[in-house]
Amino acid sequence: MERGSSKHGPRIDEQMSQEVAGLVQGPGTGGSRVEEFREAEPAGEDQPGATTAPAGELRTGAPQGMSSEDVEARSRLGRFITMAALPGDREALVANARDNEAPADIVAALQGLPDGTRYQTVSEVWAALGHKNETTRW
């Protein structure tokens, strides 16, 4: 015996699964390709396009004192400085960033750090590069 729904027959189960196929298969970035009516209509000629960031911020929840762009840039810096390099000075940070195949702009910024200073965290490195960190944490 094949186990199925106890509320419906196989024909109705199949029909119900087809009704939600567009939702189950996922809309992706361009909307559902399964059911065309689910795609958003384009903006009119004199209307602005729809955006997920109407205020210009790409993400919410940026800490006080930093913009979302600052958060993204600091995160990008942190991707190329591993915990093995911290605490560390300029030479250790540059060597670690090169080992992690950091882009030239990150390496150049790290080479501009003052000599003889040890940094404990990526936030300290970020501040030494002339950027702002969050003003309050938690």
Side-chain angles (χ1 to χ4, degrees), residues 1-2 4 10 30 37 55 60-61 66 74 85 87 103 106 111 116 121 124 135 137:
M1 181 172 144
E2 189 175 320
F37 72 90
T60 61
M66 293 181 75
R74 184 175 68 180
I106 299 268
Q111 288 175 334
T121 65
E124 288 181 9
T135 55
R137 291 185 84 165

Side-chain angles (χ1 to χ4, degrees), residues 27-65:
T29 56
S32 175
R33 289 180 277 154
V34 176
E35 296 176 344
E36 200 171 307
F37 72 90
R38 294 192 186 277
E39 292 183 19
E41 291 186 19
E45 288 182 27
D46 59 343
Q47 300 295 317
T51 179
T52 58
E57 288 287 319
L58 296 177
R59 51 183 286 193
T60 61
Q64 191 174 25

Side-chain angles (χ1 to χ4, degrees), residues 14-93:
E14 180 67 24
Q15 179 184 357
M16 291 174 69
S17 69
Q18 288 179 359
E19 288 176 357
V20 296
L23 299 173
V24 173
Q25 291 177 355
T29 56
S32 175
R33 289 180 277 154
V34 176
E35 296 176 344
E36 200 171 307
F37 72 90
R38 294 192 186 277
E39 292 183 19
E41 291 186 19
E45 288 182 27
D46 59 343
Q47 300 295 317
T51 179
T52 58
E57 288 287 319
L58 296 177
R59 51 183 286 193
T60 61
Q64 191 174 25
M66 293 181 75
S67 69
S68 59
E69 289 84 15
D70 292 337
V71 172
E72 290 298 324
R74 184 175 68 180
S75 176
R76 180 174 176 256
L77 172 69
R79 281 186 224 128
F80 300 106
I81 300 174
T82 62
M83 294 303 291
L86 297 170
D89 59 359
R90 177 181 66 191
E91 287 75 25
L93 294 172

Side-chain angles (χ1 to χ4, degrees), residues 89-104:
D89 59 359
R90 177 181 66 191
E91 287 75 25
L93 294 172
V94 169
N96 186 259
R98 284 188 175 141
D99 290 344
N100 291 316
E101 300 177 3

